[in-house]
Amino acid sequence: MTIPVIDHFINGQRRAPSPDASTSNVFNPATGQVIAHVKAARSAEVNQAVAGAAAAFEAWSQMSLGRRTAVLFAFRQLLAAGTDELAKIVVREHGKVLDDARGEVGRGLDVVDFACGIPELLKGSYSPQVSTDFDVYSFREPLGVVAGITPFNFPVMVPLWMAPLAIATGNTFILKPSKQDPSASLFLADLWTKAGLPDGVFQVIQGGRGSVADLLIHPDIRAISFVGSTPVARHIHQVGTSHGKRVQALGGAKNHAVILPDADLDFAAASTVAAAFGAAGQRCMAIATAVVIDAVADDFVEQVVAKARNVKVADGMTPGVDMGAVISQAARDRIEDTVDSAQRDGAAIVLDGRGWRPADSPEGFFTGPTVIDHVRPGMRAYDEEIFGPVLTVVRVRDLDEALCLVNANPYGNGAVVFSASGGDARRFVRGVNAGMIGVNVPIPVPVPYYSFGGWKDSLIGESHIYGPDGVRFYTRAKVITQRWPSQSPSQSQSQGASFHFASASS
Ligand code: NAD
């Protein structure tokens, strides 16, 4: 059987990559089979994509808001209609379950909805008569060519955190998706074309760090949006900003859920299990650590283990399944190795998913849900982002100790409290050092009219993504101070000229 090679998408067309470019395998994680090859864009291909995007910028940025919005609405309709097809592409290359993949497309669609309101979002401001016969107004303009570099775990949603707003605000956009699940990027590219987006406004180049290196130093790229692990986020931010680009760089996570004694334990346990093992724990907002107050810890752990035992694990295309495979053999090895380390460190493996393989697909990249109790800071299983179906449990005396623990962790993406007490929940919300906080909500991903972003090592730089921060990131402000001396009843031209800095009261 011939293995297909994933194309780039440049200037409105799918482009076969250079045959001699370096090649990686794309797997179906559920079977462990190689289903495609992806070849890294060479510098010439990156330059071609940037040149095409730069050439398309002038016309696109000058296109009326009404016509730009019409493209976004058309894209929105096509994306909604294509949800199932796109979700299946995601399942095949990522391994998550079909309903979850549909949910991912839906979350991306929400951002497109937000971008459809761009005429409202780009409204400027106007202050008449700030000084005698002077008016001031301001508006925002696009940057030019911008690029997005995205992780494997949301091959649709994360590109859609970026592209709709970048494009709606008048920029042209180059996507460099993960080479582990690259096909969704081409489906999106086709939808943009069908929606009437002019050639060159949305480009896709495939590849890994080499292709990113070319983007980071390219003089015609004005801004980089990055979502991925923290070490790479730091690198992208450092190299991108030192080459004069705006960079928004969202990094890794280690999200804590604090379970207070007055919480509805059944609800908290069910929510924690869903948030820890959904997408096999490969979400940047997954609950990685449950922080439980001693008084209810035994009860909570017992309920979590009982529920986690019932998580149905199989190929993501199987109806009714809860959790699929992890992305790669290497990821599975890393995850199971981290569980080994917890055992050596003296933690209690109260549910052990290591070595779990489905009878009908033994070559798939599966590992079962794992719960590790009595974990402490200093253990590798606590300190590192595991990014797999592993829930660590840390026991603490009270809310104060819980807050100290969460705040001492280097990551600060999401943090959750389960409680029936408004006062305790409020203390948590006010006292916790994290960007996105859930109160009895296990995965508090903001709706797109708020922005998404963490604190500490979960965000390098300062710009959050999508929402109002997204509009600001992809635009820059112009402030205009004007007067029309010949029209002015109060001043002749020569009287209006001044050698002195005038103040607003003049
Ligand atoms: P990754 O950092 O390995 O890769 C992300 C992107 O960067 C990919 O496109 C990859 O090709 C590229 N890349 C990798 N190494 C590079 C290098 N040295 N130089 C330049 N580019 C490089 O991340 P991943 O494994 O694909 O995704 C999982 C990570 O992403 C986890 O850490 C997860 O927490 C994080 N994530 C964060 C968020 C968030 O919103 N904060 C969202 C999703 C995922």
Side-chain angles (χ1 to χ4, degrees):
M1 196 187 74
T2 333
I3 294 179
V5 178
I6 308 288
D7 289 330
H8 307 302
F9 185 90
I10 299 174
N11 298 342
Q13 312 232 323
R14 291 186 179 220
R15 296 282 176 89
S18 309
D20 55 347
S22 76
T23 306
S24 311
N25 291 327
V26 179
F27 293 91
N28 179 341
T31 62
Q33 301 302 304
V34 176
I35 52 172
H37 287 147
V38 63
K39 286 177 177 284
R42 310 189 66 127
S43 299
E45 290 158 315
V46 174
N47 291 341
Q48 214 183 8
V50 178
F57 173 69
E58 181 62 21
W60 178 246
S61 61
Q62 295 303 324
M63 192 173 278
S64 74
L65 279 174
R67 287 180 63 198
R68 271 194 252 160
T69 311
V71 173
L72 286 160
F73 272 106
F75 179 74
R76 192 223 171 273
Q77 290 311 105
L78 291 162
L79 185 61
T83 296
D84 260 28
E85 201 180 335
L86 186 51
K88 284 177 189 154
I89 292 171
V90 172
V91 174
R92 228 167 95 79
E93 294 184 357
H94 176 286
K96 65 177 70 176
V97 308
L98 186 57
D99 270 348
D100 193 37
R102 288 192 185 107
E104 161 171 5
V105 177
R107 280 298 185 132
L109 197 63
D110 290 347
V111 181
V112 184
D113 284 346
F114 178 70
C116 285
I118 199 68
E120 178 68 21
L121 298 166
L122 281 184
K123 267 160 67 176
S125 55
Y126 193 100
S127 301
Q129 201 70 354
V130 293
S131 180
T132 306
D133 295 333
F134 281 70
D135 308 323
V136 172
Y137 64 100
S138 77
F139 53 85
R140 301 188 72 85
E141 292 195 336
L143 306 176
V145 183
V146 302
I149 299 153
T150 55
F152 81 83
N153 66 322
F154 286 110
V156 174
M157 183 183 78
V158 172
L160 292 179
W161 282 358
M162 304 169 179
L165 273 181
I167 289 172
T169 47
N171 300 281
T172 54
F173 184 85
I174 300 176
L175 173 63
K176 203 301 288 169
S178 168
K179 61 184 181 181
Q180 298 188 89
D181 45 11
S183 295
S185 63
L186 295 178
F187 190 92
L188 292 175
D190 288 341
L191 292 190
W192 280 116
T193 301
K194 285 183 198 151
L197 193 72
D199 294 350
V201 178
F202 181 83
Q203 316 267 56
V204 180
I205 55 153
Q206 310 290 354
R209 66 176 68 179
S211 316
V212 173
D214 286 336
L215 291 172
L216 288 179
I217 61 171
H218 200 295
D220 290 342
I221 292 186
R222 305 281 176 232
I224 304 271
S225 298
F226 172 84
V227 176
S229 60
T230 295
V232 182
R234 265 190 225 296
H235 165 73
I236 301 272
H237 191 267
Q238 198 243 319
V239 179
T241 52
S242 70
H243 284 81
K245 302 177 197 326
R246 279 187 190 188
V247 179
Q248 53 179 186
L250 283 73
K254 188 86 181 180
N255 307 306
H256 296 69
V258 174
I259 293 90
L260 298 184
D262 63 356
D264 175 337
L265 278 198
D266 179 57
F267 173 75
S271 303
T272 301
V273 166
F277 303 121
Q282 300 169 115
R283 291 179 182 141
C284 61
M285 290 293 277
I287 292 179
T289 300
V291 183
V292 198
I293 309 301
D294 282 327
V296 291
D298 287 345
D299 201 0
F300 177 77
V301 171
E302 194 180 311
Q303 294 202 38
V304 161
V305 170
K307 291 176 197 307
R309 264 188 219 294
N310 289 330
V311 171
K312 290 192 211 75
V313 188
D315 183 328
M317 292 303 293
T318 314
V321 72
D322 299 315
M323 182 181 124
V326 298
I327 186 71
S328 65
Q329 171 90 49
R332 202 236 329 259
D333 291 350
R334 192 200 65 242
I335 292 161
E336 296 196 344
D337 191 52
T338 311
V339 181
D340 293 345
S341 77
Q343 195 164 24
R344 284 194 301 274
D345 288 341
I349 316 295
V350 289
L351 181 67
D352 193 351
R354 284 172 296 180
W356 186 88
R357 311 285 183 260
D360 59 347
S361 191
E363 305 302 319
F365 309 139
F366 287 93
T367 182
T370 294
V371 182
I372 315 178
D373 197 0
H374 298 287
V375 172
R376 291 185 311 279
M379 293 181 181
R380 188 179 138 202
Y382 178 79
D383 294 345
E384 289 182 9
E385 180 182 30
I386 302 175
F387 219 56
V390 179
L391 177 70
T392 53
V393 179
V394 182
R395 296 172 177 232
V396 294
R397 276 188 316 277
D398 51 25
L399 176 55
D400 285 335
E401 194 183 339
L403 275 169
C404 284
L405 179 96
V406 180
N407 289 346
N409 193 280
Y411 294 109
N413 218 33
V416 174
V417 65
F418 288 102
S419 174
S421 154
D424 283 347
R426 186 170 188 276
R427 258 187 74 208
F428 181 84
V429 167
R430 300 280 302 159
V432 76
N433 292 338
M436 294 167 286
I437 297 155
V439 177
N440 299 313
V441 172
I443 303 199
V445 173
V447 290
Y449 29 99
Y450 289 80
S451 298
F452 178 112
W455 285 18
K456 302 188 279 182
D457 287 356
S458 295
L459 181 87
I460 313 300
E462 60 91 31
S463 177
H464 289 199
I465 206 160
Y466 68 72
D469 273 28
V471 176
R472 267 193 300 277
F473 181 77
Y474 291 124
T475 55
R476 50 188 169 176
K478 267 186 182 161
V479 183
I480 296 91
T481 304
Q482 70 173 10
R483 66 173 163 176
W484 303 96
S486 58
Q487 308 286 313
S488 164
S490 51
Q491 289 179 328
S492 74
Q493 271 190 54
S494 59
Q495 280 171 329
S498 170
F499 281 77
H500 308 135
F501 233 1
S503 73
S505 55
S506 46

